C-alpha cells in the first residue's frame, strides 16, 4: 500500500484543492474491504510499539493538525487503541496558560517531545502558532512570518538528535464539517462538545484554508514531512495514518536489547 | 464482589504474612471463572474513563508498588489496555536523574500527578524513597523516618485539593519471584529483561519485606489507603485492581458536561 501520494513534497508549491477529502483510492471498495487490513495494522503497531519501548533508543513524534471536528480525537482513539499506555503519550495543546504565554511559543512544546523508546502524539501543536495565531492576528505578521523557519529549524534539531517526526493534516471538506458540527448539536449526548465559539471559528473557513496551505508549503521538509490525509471518511483516515506509522516503525529495523553478559544458564537460588 | 478485605485498615498493625499471595477466594474456581467478569470490567473502565475525561473535573492517581517481577508492567498492560491514551498517563520513576536528585524527593513526583479529567498511573513512586532508600541506607535513618509523615501530608493535600488516590502493593511470594526471574533467564526472548542487579536485590528479600510492612502500617490512610493484592496469579491481580478502580470511578457519580445555553435546535450554515 503506497501512501506516498499523500506526502507533501518539500518545497513544491501545493494547493489544498490538490487533495480531495472524500478520496479513498487505495480502498476503492469502501470500509469493509479495509477492515482486515486495518486489524492487521493495529496488531503490527502494538508489537512494534512494544519493541520500540523495549529497545529504548528511538523517539517518534506524531503531530495531528486539523480543523474543529477534523477527527484528531477519533484518530487517537482508533489508531492507538491497543498500544501500551506506558510508552505512548498524548500531549494536547490548548489555549496557553499564563505561564506558557510568558515564554516563547516552542517552550511548552519542547517539554513534551518524546524520550527514548517513546511515541508522543501531539493533539494540536506548535503549528497553532502559525494557524489560529495567523488567522486572528494574535501577534504581528512579522512575528508569525518568522515562525515557519523557526519551526523548521526546531524540528531539524529534534531529528538530528534522534527523533523521527510524522505530521498529519486531517483534511475535511466544508460540508463534512457542517455535518459533524450539526450532529453534535442534534445529538443530546454530544451537545456538550459544541461551543458557540466553534461556529464563530467556522466563519473563518477561508482564512484557515489559506493558513493551512501556507503551513504545508513552508514546513513540509525532508526531515519532517506533512501528509495530507483525506479525512471525510474516518475509516480511510485511520488506515492511512496507521500505515504510515507502521511503515515508519518497521523502517527502524529494531531489535530487542542484548542481555547482559553471563546470564544464560544462570540459576536463581530459592 | 467485595475487595475490602484487601484494604489495609489505617492505623491497624498489619503483617505481610496476613495476606497469602496465592489466595484467590473471590474466584475460587480459577481463571476461567473470572473471564467474563473481567471482560465486563474492562468495558466499564473504558466507558468510565471517557466520562472522567469528558467531565474534566476529577483526578485519579493510581500507585503501583511491588518487588522486581511483581507484575507492575503487566498490570498496566492488562488492566488499562483499552483506555484512551489521551486521558491516561503512566509515570515511571526510575533512578533519579541528576536534576531530580538535586531536589527534594517529592519534586519529580509532584510534577506528574494527574490534572482534571486524567488518570495517572505511577509505576513505582515516591514510596521508593522509603523502600530502596531504606533498604540500602541511601539517606540517614532520621531522614527516611520523617518521610512517612511527609508522604501522608503530601497525599492529604492532594486529596483535599481534588485528587483521589488508590495504592496497590503487588504481593508475590519468594518462590514466585524465583520462578519469574528464572523464566526471564531461560527464555532467550526475555533474557534482556534480566540484570545481574536483580539477583543482588533479591538478596535483600527480608529487608524489603520489612520496608514494605512499615510502609503499609504507616502510610495506609483514610484519604489514601493501600490495597495488598495477592499477585502470584496475574489474572486475579488484574481482576482485583480493575474492580477497585471501576468501583472508585462509579462512586464519582459523574455526568457529561451540560451544553452551553442556546445550542439546542441551532442550524450550522453551509
Amino acid at each position: 500500500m503506497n501512501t506516498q501520494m499523500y506526502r507533501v513534497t518539500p518545497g513544491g508549491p501545493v494547493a489544498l484543492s490538490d487533495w480531495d477529502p472524500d478520496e479513498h483510492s487505495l480502498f476503492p471498495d469502501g470500509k469493509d474491504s479495509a477492515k482486515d487490513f486495518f486489524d492487521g495494522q493495529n496488531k503490527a503497531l502494538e508489537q512494534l510499539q512494544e519493541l520500540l519501548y523495549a529497545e529504548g533508543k528511538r523517539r517518534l513524534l506524531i503531530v495531528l493538525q486539523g480543523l474543529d471536528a477534523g477527527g484528531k480525537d477519533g484518530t487517537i482513539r482508533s489508531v492507538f487503541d491497543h498500544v501500551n499506555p506506558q510508552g505512548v503519550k498524548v500531549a494536547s495543546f490548548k489555549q496557553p496558560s499564563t505561564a506558557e504565554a510568558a515564554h516563547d511559543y516552542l517552550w511548552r512544546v519542547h517539554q513534551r517531545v518524546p524520550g527514548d523508546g517513546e511515541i508522543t502524539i501531539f493533539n494540536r501543536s506548535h503549528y497553532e502558532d502559525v494557524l489560529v495565531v495567523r488567522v486572528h492576528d494574535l501577534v504581528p505578521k512579522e512575528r508569525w512570518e518568522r515562525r515557519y523557519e523557526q519551526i523548521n529549524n526546531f524540528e531539524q534539531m529534534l531529528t538530528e538528535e534522534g527523533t523521527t517526526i510524522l505530521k498529519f493534516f486531517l483534511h475535511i471538506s466544508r460540508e463534512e464539517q457542517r455535518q459533524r458540527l450539526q450532529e453534535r448539536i442534534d445529538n443530546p449526548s454530544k451537545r456538550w462538545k459544541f461551543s458557540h465559539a466553534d461556529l464563530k471559528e467556522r466563519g473563518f473557513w477561508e482564512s484557515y484554508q489559506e493558513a493551512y496551505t501556507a503551513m504545508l508549503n513552508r514546513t513540509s521538509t525532508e526531515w519532517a514531512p506533512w501528509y495530507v490525509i483525506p479525512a471525510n471518511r474516518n475509516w480511510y483516515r485511520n488506515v492511512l495514518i496507521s500505515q504510515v506509522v507502521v511503515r515508519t516503525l518497521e523502517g527502524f529495523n529494531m531489535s530487542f536489547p542484548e542481555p547482559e553478559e553471563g546470564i544464560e544458564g544462570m540459576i536463581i537460588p530459592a
Side-chain angles (χ1 to χ4, degrees), chain A:
Chain A
M1 190 176 138
N2 191 345
T3 54
Q4 285 307 302
M5 59 196 280
Y6 302 109
R7 187 169 173 277
V8 179
T9 309
V14 292
L16 267 186
S17 52
D18 296 347
W19 286 276
D20 172 6
D22 261 318
E23 189 263 322
H24 56 104
S25 58
L26 296 178
F27 287 95
D29 297 335
K31 182 174 179 176
D32 288 349
S33 70
K35 187 176 181 311
D36 288 350
F37 179 82
F38 184 62
D39 289 347
Q41 291 294 103
N42 252 345
K43 282 210 184 62
L45 179 58
E46 191 178 340
Q47 288 168 1
L48 285 160
Q49 185 256 320
E50 282 291 327
L51 186 52
L52 183 86
Y53 186 74
E55 193 190 56
K57 285 187 181 169
R58 298 158 200 266
R59 314 165 187 162
L60 180 61
L61 173 60
I62 296 169
V63 174
L64 296 182
Q65 282 290 158
L67 291 166
D68 289 336
K72 299 181 291 295
D73 293 336
T75 299
I76 294 169
R77 183 115 198 91
S78 304
V79 177
F80 299 94
D81 185 28
H82 284 272
V83 297
N84 187 343
Q86 186 138 249
V88 179
K89 298 183 175 170
V90 180
S92 298
F93 295 98
K94 300 182 176 159
Q95 195 101 344
S97 70
T98 311
E100 288 170 348
H103 293 81
D104 67 89
Y105 67 101
L106 293 175
W107 181 74
R108 62 173 182 164
V109 171
H110 204 161
Q111 294 177 34
R112 310 293 293 275
V113 299
D116 287 346
E118 290 179 350
I119 298 176
T120 299
I121 304 157
F122 279 4
N123 185 346
R124 302 188 187 270
S125 67
H126 44 301
Y127 284 99
E128 291 297 331
D129 295 285
V130 291
L131 291 166
V132 62
V133 166
R134 172 178 166 145
V135 167
H136 292 293
D137 293 317
L138 300 182
V139 304
K141 183 177 179 190
E142 68 253 34
R143 276 188 69 191
W144 59 251
E145 270 288 354
R146 287 195 294 258
R147 289 182 175 175
Y148 296 99
E149 193 180 345
Q150 291 166 353
I151 288 172
N152 288 342
N153 291 340
F154 171 65
E155 292 180 352
Q156 186 171 20
M157 179 279 291
L158 289 179
T159 55
E160 286 172 354
E161 290 287 318
T163 302
T164 299
I165 303 176
L166 296 173
K167 304 185 294 201
F168 299 103
F169 167 56
L170 309 185
H171 183 33
I172 58 169
S173 65
R174 189 179 172 102
E175 168 59 16
E176 180 67 23
Q177 190 194 47
R178 186 192 67 74
Q179 288 178 25
R180 292 184 186 187
L181 293 178
Q182 190 66 54
E183 156 72 7
R184 289 186 187 175
I185 291 172
D186 295 347
N187 184 335
S189 76
K190 288 189 179 175
R191 199 168 292 149
W192 63 273
K193 293 186 182 181
F194 186 83
S195 151
H196 289 289
D198 296 341
L199 183 54
K200 209 170 149 229
E201 279 303 277
R202 180 167 158 82
F204 292 91
W205 179 273
E206 285 306 329
S207 301
Y208 271 108
Q209 300 295 303
E210 274 169 37
Y212 271 107
T213 304
M215 176 193 85
L216 294 172
N217 275 292
R218 300 177 67 175
T219 63
S220 196
T221 54
E222 291 296 344
W223 53 89
W226 276 105
Y227 290 83
V228 177
I229 303 294
N232 275 5
R233 291 175 166 79
N234 294 346
W235 65 267
Y236 194 63
R237 171 200 77 199
N238 294 339
V239 169
L240 288 184
I241 292 177
S242 174
Q243 170 71 359
V244 173
V245 172
V246 165
R247 280 286 168 84
T248 300
L249 290 170
E250 284 172 351
F252 288 171
N253 290 314
M254 298 178 283
S255 54
F256 283 98
E258 287 295 311
E260 293 175 15
E261 293 280 317
I263 285 179
E264 195 175 344
M266 268 180 65
I267 301 293
I268 300 285

